Amino acid sequence: DTGVSQDPRHKITKRGQNVTFRCDPISEHNRLYWYRQTLGQGPEFLTYFQNEAQLEKSRLLSDRFSAERPKGSFSTLEIQRTEQGDSAMYLCASSLARTRRNEQFFGPGTRLTVL
Amino acid sequence: DQQVKQNSPSLSVQEGRISILNCDYTNSMFDYFLWYKKYPAEGPTFLISISSIKDKNEDGRFTVFLNKSAKHLSLHIVPSQPGDSAVYFCAASANGGTSYGKLTFGQGTILTVHP
């Protein structure tokens, strides 16, 4: 059983550069979520997909952020013109939307450092 | 506004004793609650959950209690083991509509179990 995987695990970039992260969910899961976690805080919801449709976006997701899930499989999260405030752990999670339970399974995260 | 709060940043317990982690929420629309455990450099791992139609759910050493009138839930770990040392996050979701799926997390409680 391969869980949720994320790539890269770490990314260091200079302010103003663009970065892209990838998430591969558990294969049969049709829901995919992105969260952001900063030091001392719990994960904060960014956006989620059911299959290829992006159903909700947080107000935290500025215009510099864009997420896609082509063909309802893997997902990418792109941050354009990075700022130091974007430094955080970016977590991806997936779940199966079959019941009212909402147990999401998380990947190891991508730690972004913006210099 | 912090809709899910874990007011204790840390908890220290002796091995074999009970660990009680607390969580309060403010949003009356939340109807499903989850606890996650997180080790350093890993994503959160699902531990146990409870629906708002129940007041208790048990899984081995872990029991979650829900007091809807007080908007309070707690996680009991009995007996505590050193391997339980981790950050514990409380999370909540409001099923229905376009918010189905989004988890709102508390800030986390660092549990340390001493041998």
Side-chain angles (χ1 to χ4, degrees):
Chain A
D1 173 31
T2 56
V4 178
S5 62
Q6 293 187 244
D7 184 69
R9 294 290 304 274
H10 303 273
K11 179 71 177 178
I12 300 174
T13 190
K14 293 182 179 179
R15 188 176 52 187
Q17 298 294 305
N18 300 343
V19 294
T20 300
F21 310 141
R22 177 182 170 120
C23 170
D24 287 272
I26 294 171
S27 59
E28 65 269 25
H29 284 184
N30 54 353
R31 289 194 169 200
L32 186 147
Y33 313 80
W34 286 98
Y35 292 84
R36 180 172 68 187
Q37 185 178 15
T38 53
L39 197 62
Q41 300 296 317
E44 293 177 290
F45 171 79
L46 292 179
T47 187
Y48 94 93
F49 294 83
Q50 180 151 330
N51 301 313
E52 66 276 6
Q54 189 173 18
L55 295 186
E56 187 171 354
K57 291 171 62 173
S58 164
R59 284 171 290 181
L60 291 175
L61 218 62
S62 75
D63 292 343
R64 297 183 296 105
F65 288 71
S66 62
E68 294 183 343
R69 193 183 182 197
K71 302 178 183 177
S73 55
F74 72 93
S75 175
T76 58
L77 177 68
E78 181 183 16
I79 309 174
Q80 296 183 328
R81 305 181 304 281
T82 52
E83 302 172 356
Q84 288 185 326
D86 297 331
S87 295
M89 175 74 83
Y90 289 83
L91 294 162
C92 175
S94 70
S95 72
L96 192 58
R98 185 177 292 169
T99 69
R100 291 179 62 81
R101 295 168 61 176
N102 189 26
E103 293 149 13
Q104 298 178 18
F105 297 85
F106 282 81
T110 295
R111 179 164 296 283
L112 173 66
T113 303
V114 182
L115 302 176
Chain B
D1 64 332
Q2 192 76 25
Q3 298 186 63
V4 178
K5 294 182 182 179
Q6 294 175 255
N7 291 318
S8 298
S10 62
L11 176 67
S12 184
V13 171
Q14 205 67 30
E15 181 179 8
R17 306 294 292 267
I18 184 171
S19 295
I20 300 176
L21 297 102
N22 293 303
C23 178
D24 297 293
Y25 63 96
T26 57
N27 189 339
S28 300
M29 299 301 293
F30 288 147
D31 58 2
Y32 199 75
F33 303 89
L34 308 91
W35 284 93
Y36 282 83
K37 179 170 71 174
K38 186 179 185 303
Y39 293 118
E42 294 183 12
T45 302
F46 170 74
L47 201 54
I48 192 170
S49 62
I50 188 167
S51 164
S52 61
I53 61 174
K54 296 185 175 181
D55 55 17
K56 177 183 174 182
N57 188 27
E58 196 171 350
D59 183 2
R61 296 186 297 115
F62 303 92
T63 302
V64 56
F65 296 92
L66 175 62
N67 182 333
K68 282 181 61 179
S69 60
K71 294 190 175 66
H72 177 84
L73 64 155
S74 60
L75 174 68
H76 293 210
I77 306 173
V78 182
S80 302
Q81 299 173 354
D84 296 329
S85 298
V87 181
Y88 288 78
F89 290 101
C90 169
S93 68
N95 290 325
T98 58
S99 292
Y100 186 69
K102 178 174 88 174
L103 291 180
T104 301
F105 283 85
Q107 309 95 308
T109 297
I110 301 170
L111 174 65
T112 303
V113 181
H114 299 283

